[in-house]
Amino acid sequence: MTQLAQTVDPAPLLPAQIGDYRAIPIAAIRIGPRLRYLRPDAVSNLANNIAEHGLHVAISVAEEAADDGTTKFLLIDGAHRLKACKQIGWEQVPARVYRLDEIERQILEIDVNLCREELTELERGEHLLKRKELYEQLHPETRQHLAGAMAANAVMGRGDASANLALASFTRDASEKTRRSLRAVQRSIARTQKIDPEIRDRIRDKPVMANNGAELDALASLNPDQQLRAVEMVETQGYKTIRAAKKKLHDAVSPAPEKPVKSATFSTTRRTPLPDIPNSQLDAATSDLGKQDSIRKLRQIVDRVEGTDRNNLIAFLGKLGSTHCDKLAAYLS
């Protein structure tokens, strides 16, 4: 087998009985469900590097007894490294062996991943959310404390306790283990809980959304149907951000209230509202969404002016001299 380079000992993130470093058979390693997805380009780069320089950081595994009496290992950390070693033909890999129960193993896997900078904001939130669920299983008293805090906040009119997760020991523990602030842990969990799992999967490979906190916050503020619509608008309708799509959805649901025109020159009356202006026509006038909204509001005002005064107003708008004023007048008529 290719000579293995000296491994680096990562600091343990969870109290556990830890065995020696060993070179273990790759065939004896089982890979369970993973929160972090493999990136083929990262595996390829690692394989080239390991082939040339060796493996400098051991993978981490949990030792488990198989039904046939042999020793098997469940992967904790190092899926990319393990895949790369397989790819270059290694039969053994250096590993640090932990003896943990299943919940402790999953928490350790999450904590190791959370210390990595290459996680997207979405992945980080999913890891923290899963860690919270596991921590509450390991420490049932935490859930009771959080439930009490939620009840107290409700009585005192403070609403949802998600912004007060610092009251639970989980948040302090996660902050210490992952070296992130209490506020960052709270916010990441709160937003991830509100984004539909199917939407998370849909945007996972789109860093412009998955690795942008403001975009994720915008998604989290919508209901599941609106989340899907907003993502579709970014993917297929030319909207550059979820925030822009959200504004469009909000305006469609809650249009600005009409205000009567106060003018000594024009008289107004109630008219049957004109059909909305097609987006294609608005795009021809301006690509700016705010200006498109202004055109719609102006059309509503014009529609409330009657008779000759209405025609005169449209004609006046057509003589303003702007590049698109002649088109604007046509859309208002």
Side-chain angles (χ1 to χ4, degrees):
M1 185 182 76
T2 303
Q3 179 66 35
L4 303 182
Q6 178 64 40
T7 58
V8 178
D9 182 4
L13 301 178
L14 188 77
Q17 180 182 357
I18 303 169
D20 297 332
Y21 280 110
R22 309 179 199 172
I24 62 175
I26 289 179
I29 301 173
R30 179 171 66 88
I31 301 177
R34 310 286 293 176
L35 281 173
R36 187 174 175 228
Y37 290 74
L38 281 177
R39 295 183 170 90
D41 57 337
V43 172
S44 179
N45 291 336
L46 268 174
N48 293 334
N49 186 272
I50 293 171
E52 183 176 357
H53 302 291
L55 182 63
H56 291 271
V57 179
I59 68 171
S60 298
V61 297
E63 191 174 37
E64 56 182 12
D67 294 338
D68 59 5
T70 60
T71 299
K72 298 290 184 181
F73 305 93
L74 181 58
L75 184 67
I76 296 174
D77 172 53
H80 285 80
R81 280 164 279 160
L82 180 61
K83 181 72 172 178
C85 289
K86 288 181 180 179
Q87 189 168 299
I88 60 177
W90 284 15
E91 296 181 355
Q92 290 185 310
V93 64
R96 188 172 189 180
V97 181
Y98 289 78
R99 297 181 181 87
L100 307 165
D101 65 29
E102 179 58 17
I103 292 178
E104 290 172 333
R105 182 198 65 75
Q106 290 186 62
I107 289 178
L108 179 55
E109 175 190 333
I110 289 170
D111 286 352
V112 171
N113 282 336
L114 283 171
C115 289
R116 292 194 169 94
E117 292 302 321
E118 65 264 27
L119 287 181
T120 65
E121 285 299 316
L122 175 62
E123 290 172 328
R124 194 174 302 282
E126 290 177 323
H127 277 65
L128 284 168
L129 182 57
K130 182 62 177 179
R131 190 186 195 281
K132 175 177 175 289
E133 296 171 0
L134 294 167
Y135 188 90
E136 290 175 352
Q137 292 180 47
L138 199 61
H139 304 281
E141 70 278 5
T142 300
R143 184 181 301 174
Q144 296 170 0
H145 293 163
L146 182 57
M150 292 176 70
N153 277 296
V155 170
M156 292 184 283
R158 294 179 183 172
D160 195 329
S162 62
N164 299 307
L165 283 173
L167 297 172
S169 60
F170 159 76
T171 311
R172 290 194 302 274
D173 183 71
S175 177
E176 292 168 1
K177 297 291 174 55
T178 62
R179 304 182 184 94
R180 294 179 69 82
S181 70
L182 293 173
R183 172 67 175 165
V185 171
Q186 296 165 8
R187 186 172 184 176
S188 190
I189 291 175
R191 75 157 64 108
T192 305
Q193 284 178 313
K194 296 176 182 177
I195 300 175
D196 187 89
E198 291 186 5
I199 299 298
R200 292 185 225 156
D201 287 338
R202 183 159 181 162
I203 68 172
R204 192 173 304 283
D205 296 327
K206 299 178 175 65
V208 69
M209 291 182 270
N211 201 29
N212 186 311
E215 289 291 270
L216 294 174
D217 285 337
L219 265 180
S221 68
L222 302 171
N223 65 44
D225 289 340
Q226 291 173 327
Q227 289 174 14
L228 176 59
R229 179 69 179 131
V231 171
E232 288 175 341
M233 290 167 72
V234 172
E235 291 176 340
T236 64
Q237 297 184 26
Y239 288 83
K240 293 183 178 180
T241 66
I242 292 293
R243 285 165 287 175
K246 173 188 171 182
K247 182 180 184 305
K248 173 68 175 178
L249 290 171
H250 177 75
D251 289 346
V253 174
S254 304
E258 291 185 11
K259 295 181 180 179
V261 177
K262 295 181 179 180
S263 170
T265 304
F266 302 116
S267 59
T268 63
T269 187
R270 281 285 177 185
R271 300 166 57 93
T272 302
L274 291 172
D276 198 8
I277 308 172
N279 283 335
S280 58
Q281 292 186 5
L282 288 170
D283 289 341
T286 173
S287 60
D288 187 296
L289 294 177
K291 292 180 180 178
Q292 290 182 9
D293 186 57
S294 297
I295 291 174
R296 284 197 173 93
K297 291 177 180 177
L298 182 58
R299 190 175 191 235
Q300 291 173 357
I301 294 172
V302 172
D303 187 44
R304 294 173 64 85
V305 180
E306 64 178 346
T308 304
D309 288 337
R310 180 168 181 269
N311 295 330
N312 290 339
L313 176 57
I314 293 173
F316 175 76
L317 289 171
K319 296 177 182 179
L320 289 179
S322 170
T323 303
H324 292 295
C325 276
D326 55 335
K327 295 180 181 178
L328 175 60
Y331 301 152
L332 295 173
S333 59

